[in-house]
PDB file of all heavy atoms in Angstrom:
ATOM      1  N   ARG S  87      96.407 176.326 187.254  1.00  0.00           N
ATOM      2  CA  ARG S  87      97.676 175.606 187.418  1.00  0.00           C
ATOM      3  C   ARG S  87      97.532 174.496 188.446  1.00  0.00           C
ATOM      4  O   ARG S  87      98.002 173.380 188.234  1.00  0.00           O
ATOM      5  CB  ARG S  87      98.768 176.573 187.876  1.00  0.00           C
ATOM      6  CG  ARG S  87      99.399 177.348 186.746  1.00  0.00           C
ATOM      7  CD  ARG S  87     100.737 177.926 187.184  1.00  0.00           C
ATOM      8  NE  ARG S  87     101.389 178.559 186.044  1.00  0.00           N
ATOM      9  CZ  ARG S  87     101.098 179.793 185.632  1.00  0.00           C
ATOM     10  NH1 ARG S  87     100.208 180.507 186.281  1.00  0.00           N
ATOM     11  NH2 ARG S  87     101.709 180.314 184.584  1.00  0.00           N
ATOM     12  N   TRP S 118      96.769 171.170 179.919  1.00  0.00           N
ATOM     13  CA  TRP S 118      96.680 172.563 180.346  1.00  0.00           C
ATOM     14  C   TRP S 118      97.219 173.476 179.255  1.00  0.00           C
ATOM     15  O   TRP S 118      98.275 173.213 178.674  1.00  0.00           O
ATOM     16  CB  TRP S 118      97.487 172.723 181.630  1.00  0.00           C
ATOM     17  CG  TRP S 118      97.702 174.116 182.123  1.00  0.00           C
ATOM     18  CD1 TRP S 118      96.769 174.930 182.706  1.00  0.00           C
ATOM     19  CD2 TRP S 118      98.934 174.858 182.129  1.00  0.00           C
ATOM     20  NE1 TRP S 118      97.346 176.123 183.062  1.00  0.00           N
ATOM     21  CE2 TRP S 118      98.667 176.107 182.713  1.00  0.00           C
ATOM     22  CE3 TRP S 118     100.226 174.583 181.685  1.00  0.00           C
ATOM     23  CZ2 TRP S 118      99.646 177.082 182.884  1.00  0.00           C
ATOM     24  CZ3 TRP S 118     101.206 175.546 181.848  1.00  0.00           C
ATOM     25  CH2 TRP S 118     100.921 176.790 182.441  1.00  0.00           C
ATOM     26  N   ARG S 122      99.987 182.523 178.485  1.00  0.00           N
ATOM     27  CA  ARG S 122     100.955 182.807 177.415  1.00  0.00           C
ATOM     28  C   ARG S 122     101.142 181.485 176.695  1.00  0.00           C
ATOM     29  O   ARG S 122     101.276 180.444 177.324  1.00  0.00           O
ATOM     30  CB  ARG S 122     102.267 183.313 178.019  1.00  0.00           C
ATOM     31  CG  ARG S 122     102.087 184.717 178.606  1.00  0.00           C
ATOM     32  CD  ARG S 122     103.411 185.360 178.898  1.00  0.00           C
ATOM     33  NE  ARG S 122     104.064 184.705 180.016  1.00  0.00           N
ATOM     34  CZ  ARG S 122     105.365 184.729 180.228  1.00  0.00           C
ATOM     35  NH1 ARG S 122     106.157 185.358 179.392  1.00  0.00           N
ATOM     36  NH2 ARG S 122     105.880 184.120 181.268  1.00  0.00           N
ATOM     37  N   GLY S 124     103.250 179.509 175.339  1.00  0.00           N
ATOM     38  CA  GLY S 124     104.244 178.469 175.634  1.00  0.00           C
ATOM     39  C   GLY S 124     104.764 177.744 174.406  1.00  0.00           C
ATOM     40  O   GLY S 124     105.310 176.645 174.521  1.00  0.00           O
ATOM     41  N   LEU S 125     104.611 178.324 173.226  1.00  0.00           N
ATOM     42  CA  LEU S 125     105.140 177.690 172.015  1.00  0.00           C
ATOM     43  C   LEU S 125     106.662 177.655 172.073  1.00  0.00           C
ATOM     44  O   LEU S 125     107.290 178.593 172.569  1.00  0.00           O
ATOM     45  CB  LEU S 125     104.685 178.463 170.770  1.00  0.00           C
ATOM     46  CG  LEU S 125     103.176 178.488 170.505  1.00  0.00           C
ATOM     47  CD1 LEU S 125     102.870 179.367 169.302  1.00  0.00           C
ATOM     48  CD2 LEU S 125     102.650 177.089 170.288  1.00  0.00           C
ATOM     49  N   PRO S 127     110.120 178.147 170.529  1.00  0.00           N
ATOM     50  CA  PRO S 127     110.578 178.959 169.397  1.00  0.00           C
ATOM     51  C   PRO S 127     111.400 178.181 168.382  1.00  0.00           C
ATOM     52  O   PRO S 127     111.537 178.626 167.243  1.00  0.00           O
ATOM     53  CB  PRO S 127     111.418 180.064 170.060  1.00  0.00           C
ATOM     54  CG  PRO S 127     111.711 179.585 171.429  1.00  0.00           C
ATOM     55  CD  PRO S 127     110.614 178.650 171.812  1.00  0.00           C
ATOM     56  N   TRP S 128     111.948 177.025 168.788  1.00  0.00           N
ATOM     57  CA  TRP S 128     112.812 176.276 167.863  1.00  0.00           C
ATOM     58  C   TRP S 128     112.045 175.200 167.111  1.00  0.00           C
ATOM     59  O   TRP S 128     112.644 174.371 166.444  1.00  0.00           O
ATOM     60  CB  TRP S 128     113.979 175.645 168.607  1.00  0.00           C
ATOM     61  CG  TRP S 128     113.546 174.920 169.839  1.00  0.00           C
ATOM     62  CD1 TRP S 128     113.058 173.656 169.918  1.00  0.00           C
ATOM     63  CD2 TRP S 128     113.553 175.431 171.172  1.00  0.00           C
ATOM     64  NE1 TRP S 128     112.742 173.354 171.211  1.00  0.00           N
ATOM     65  CE2 TRP S 128     113.038 174.417 172.000  1.00  0.00           C
ATOM     66  CE3 TRP S 128     113.947 176.646 171.745  1.00  0.00           C
ATOM     67  CZ2 TRP S 128     112.901 174.583 173.374  1.00  0.00           C
ATOM     68  CZ3 TRP S 128     113.811 176.805 173.111  1.00  0.00           C
ATOM     69  CH2 TRP S 128     113.295 175.787 173.908  1.00  0.00           C
ATOM     70  N   ARG S 129     110.718 175.182 167.232  1.00  0.00           N
ATOM     71  CA  ARG S 129     109.910 174.237 166.459  1.00  0.00           C
ATOM     72  C   ARG S 129     108.967 175.007 165.557  1.00  0.00           C
ATOM     73  O   ARG S 129     108.360 175.985 165.980  1.00  0.00           O
ATOM     74  CB  ARG S 129     109.078 173.361 167.407  1.00  0.00           C
ATOM     75  CG  ARG S 129     109.907 172.346 168.134  1.00  0.00           C
ATOM     76  CD  ARG S 129     109.036 171.508 169.056  1.00  0.00           C
ATOM     77  NE  ARG S 129     109.736 170.272 169.334  1.00  0.00           N
ATOM     78  CZ  ARG S 129     109.283 169.071 169.000  1.00  0.00           C
ATOM     79  NH1 ARG S 129     108.124 168.937 168.408  1.00  0.00           N
ATOM     80  NH2 ARG S 129     109.994 168.007 169.261  1.00  0.00           N
ATOM     81  N   HIS S 171     107.531 182.823 165.803  1.00  0.00           N
ATOM     82  CA  HIS S 171     107.655 184.280 165.795  1.00  0.00           C
ATOM     83  C   HIS S 171     107.108 184.893 164.514  1.00  0.00           C
ATOM     84  O   HIS S 171     106.973 186.109 164.414  1.00  0.00           O
ATOM     85  CB  HIS S 171     109.101 184.707 166.051  1.00  0.00           C
ATOM     86  CG  HIS S 171     110.034 184.526 164.885  1.00  0.00           C
ATOM     87  ND1 HIS S 171     110.933 183.490 164.809  1.00  0.00           N
ATOM     88  CD2 HIS S 171     110.193 185.237 163.760  1.00  0.00           C
ATOM     89  CE1 HIS S 171     111.597 183.572 163.679  1.00  0.00           C
ATOM     90  NE2 HIS S 171     111.175 184.619 163.015  1.00  0.00           N
ATOM     91  N   ARG S 191      93.214 164.331 175.789  1.00  0.00           N
ATOM     92  CA  ARG S 191      93.075 164.107 177.232  1.00  0.00           C
ATOM     93  C   ARG S 191      91.650 164.461 177.643  1.00  0.00           C
ATOM     94  O   ARG S 191      91.053 165.387 177.081  1.00  0.00           O
ATOM     95  CB  ARG S 191      94.051 165.004 177.994  1.00  0.00           C
ATOM     96  CG  ARG S 191      95.504 164.775 177.610  1.00  0.00           C
ATOM     97  CD  ARG S 191      96.215 164.027 178.700  1.00  0.00           C
ATOM     98  NE  ARG S 191      97.668 164.149 178.547  1.00  0.00           N
ATOM     99  CZ  ARG S 191      98.478 163.108 178.473  1.00  0.00           C
ATOM    100  NH1 ARG S 191      97.991 161.893 178.519  1.00  0.00           N
ATOM    101  NH2 ARG S 191      99.770 163.290 178.377  1.00  0.00           N
TER     102      ARG S 191
ATOM    103  N   GLU H 143     108.308 179.175 181.374  1.00  0.00           N
ATOM    104  CA  GLU H 143     107.083 179.079 180.586  1.00  0.00           C
ATOM    105  C   GLU H 143     107.058 177.773 179.782  1.00  0.00           C
ATOM    106  O   GLU H 143     106.034 177.090 179.720  1.00  0.00           O
ATOM    107  CB  GLU H 143     107.039 180.286 179.655  1.00  0.00           C
ATOM    108  CG  GLU H 143     105.795 180.415 178.834  1.00  0.00           C
ATOM    109  CD  GLU H 143     105.944 181.520 177.791  1.00  0.00           C
ATOM    110  OE1 GLU H 143     106.765 182.430 177.996  1.00  0.00           O
ATOM    111  OE2 GLU H 143     105.249 181.448 176.771  1.00  0.00           O
ATOM    112  N   HIS H 144     108.210 177.428 179.176  1.00  0.00           N
ATOM    113  CA  HIS H 144     108.262 176.234 178.345  1.00  0.00           C
ATOM    114  C   HIS H 144     108.237 174.968 179.193  1.00  0.00           C
ATOM    115  O   HIS H 144     107.556 174.002 178.864  1.00  0.00           O
ATOM    116  CB  HIS H 144     109.508 176.262 177.455  1.00  0.00           C
ATOM    117  CG  HIS H 144     109.496 177.412 176.497  1.00  0.00           C
ATOM    118  ND1 HIS H 144     110.622 178.121 176.147  1.00  0.00           N
ATOM    119  CD2 HIS H 144     108.483 178.002 175.833  1.00  0.00           C
ATOM    120  CE1 HIS H 144     110.291 179.075 175.313  1.00  0.00           C
ATOM    121  NE2 HIS H 144     109.005 179.027 175.106  1.00  0.00           N
ATOM    122  N   GLU H 146     106.930 174.619 182.084  1.00  0.00           N
ATOM    123  CA  GLU H 146     105.587 174.475 182.645  1.00  0.00           C
ATOM    124  C   GLU H 146     104.617 173.921 181.607  1.00  0.00           C
ATOM    125  O   GLU H 146     103.757 173.097 181.919  1.00  0.00           O
ATOM    126  CB  GLU H 146     105.108 175.851 183.124  1.00  0.00           C
ATOM    127  CG  GLU H 146     104.454 175.798 184.480  1.00  0.00           C
ATOM    128  CD  GLU H 146     103.994 177.164 184.917  1.00  0.00           C
ATOM    129  OE1 GLU H 146     104.023 178.117 184.117  1.00  0.00           O
ATOM    130  OE2 GLU H 146     103.591 177.276 186.081  1.00  0.00           O
ATOM    131  N   MET H 147     104.762 174.400 180.366  1.00  0.00           N
ATOM    132  CA  MET H 147     103.880 173.921 179.288  1.00  0.00           C
ATOM    133  C   MET H 147     104.010 172.402 179.140  1.00  0.00           C
ATOM    134  O   MET H 147     103.003 171.687 179.054  1.00  0.00           O
ATOM    135  CB  MET H 147     104.262 174.631 177.985  1.00  0.00           C
ATOM    136  CG  MET H 147     103.449 174.253 176.776  1.00  0.00           C
ATOM    137  SD  MET H 147     104.093 172.827 175.901  1.00  0.00           S
ATOM    138  CE  MET H 147     105.577 173.488 175.180  1.00  0.00           C
ATOM    139  N   GLY H 150     102.450 170.683 182.056  1.00  0.00           N
ATOM    140  CA  GLY H 150     100.996 170.799 182.000  1.00  0.00           C
ATOM    141  C   GLY H 150     100.354 169.855 180.997  1.00  0.00           C
ATOM    142  O   GLY H 150      99.155 169.608 181.049  1.00  0.00           O
ATOM    143  N   LEU H 151     101.158 169.332 180.086  1.00  0.00           N
ATOM    144  CA  LEU H 151     100.657 168.336 179.135  1.00  0.00           C
ATOM    145  C   LEU H 151     101.001 166.922 179.597  1.00  0.00           C
ATOM    146  O   LEU H 151     100.817 165.957 178.862  1.00  0.00           O
ATOM    147  CB  LEU H 151     101.249 168.588 177.738  1.00  0.00           C
ATOM    148  CG  LEU H 151     100.722 169.826 177.009  1.00  0.00           C
ATOM    149  CD1 LEU H 151     101.561 170.134 175.782  1.00  0.00           C
ATOM    150  CD2 LEU H 151      99.275 169.633 176.611  1.00  0.00           C
ATOM    151  N   LEU H 161     112.620 167.925 174.881  1.00  0.00           N
ATOM    152  CA  LEU H 161     111.797 168.925 174.194  1.00  0.00           C
ATOM    153  C   LEU H 161     112.242 170.350 174.497  1.00  0.00           C
ATOM    154  O   LEU H 161     112.062 171.246 173.677  1.00  0.00           O
ATOM    155  CB  LEU H 161     110.325 168.760 174.577  1.00  0.00           C
ATOM    156  CG  LEU H 161     109.628 167.509 174.041  1.00  0.00           C
ATOM    157  CD1 LEU H 161     108.296 167.293 174.720  1.00  0.00           C
ATOM    158  CD2 LEU H 161     109.450 167.624 172.534  1.00  0.00           C
ATOM    159  N   PRO H 165     117.236 171.488 173.184  1.00  0.00           N
ATOM    160  CA  PRO H 165     117.170 172.499 172.113  1.00  0.00           C
ATOM    161  C   PRO H 165     117.457 173.917 172.604  1.00  0.00           C
ATOM    162  O   PRO H 165     118.059 174.705 171.865  1.00  0.00           O
ATOM    163  CB  PRO H 165     115.737 172.395 171.579  1.00  0.00           C
ATOM    164  CG  PRO H 165     115.038 171.390 172.386  1.00  0.00           C
ATOM    165  CD  PRO H 165     115.981 170.715 173.293  1.00  0.00           C
ATOM    166  N   TRP H 242     115.553 179.342 163.502  1.00  0.00           N
ATOM    167  CA  TRP H 242     114.410 179.983 164.145  1.00  0.00           C
ATOM    168  C   TRP H 242     114.791 181.327 164.757  1.00  0.00           C
ATOM    169  O   TRP H 242     113.935 182.099 165.149  1.00  0.00           O
ATOM    170  CB  TRP H 242     113.845 179.079 165.229  1.00  0.00           C
ATOM    171  CG  TRP H 242     114.778 178.866 166.372  1.00  0.00           C
ATOM    172  CD1 TRP H 242     114.928 179.669 167.463  1.00  0.00           C
ATOM    173  CD2 TRP H 242     115.689 177.785 166.549  1.00  0.00           C
ATOM    174  NE1 TRP H 242     115.867 179.150 168.305  1.00  0.00           N
ATOM    175  CE2 TRP H 242     116.352 177.991 167.768  1.00  0.00           C
ATOM    176  CE3 TRP H 242     115.994 176.657 165.801  1.00  0.00           C
ATOM    177  CZ2 TRP H 242     117.313 177.120 168.240  1.00  0.00           C
ATOM    178  CZ3 TRP H 242     116.953 175.796 166.285  1.00  0.00           C
ATOM    179  CH2 TRP H 242     117.606 176.027 167.485  1.00  0.00           C
TER     180      TRP H 242
END
Side-chain angles (χ1 to χ4, degrees):
Chain S
R87 277 198 175 82
W118 171 73
R122 290 194 290 157
L125 296 176
W128 48 83
R129 287 180 159 242
H171 75 257
R191 301 254 197 235
Chain H
E143 184 189 336
H144 297 143
E146 224 180 9
M147 180 272 289
L151 289 169
L161 290 167
W242 66 85

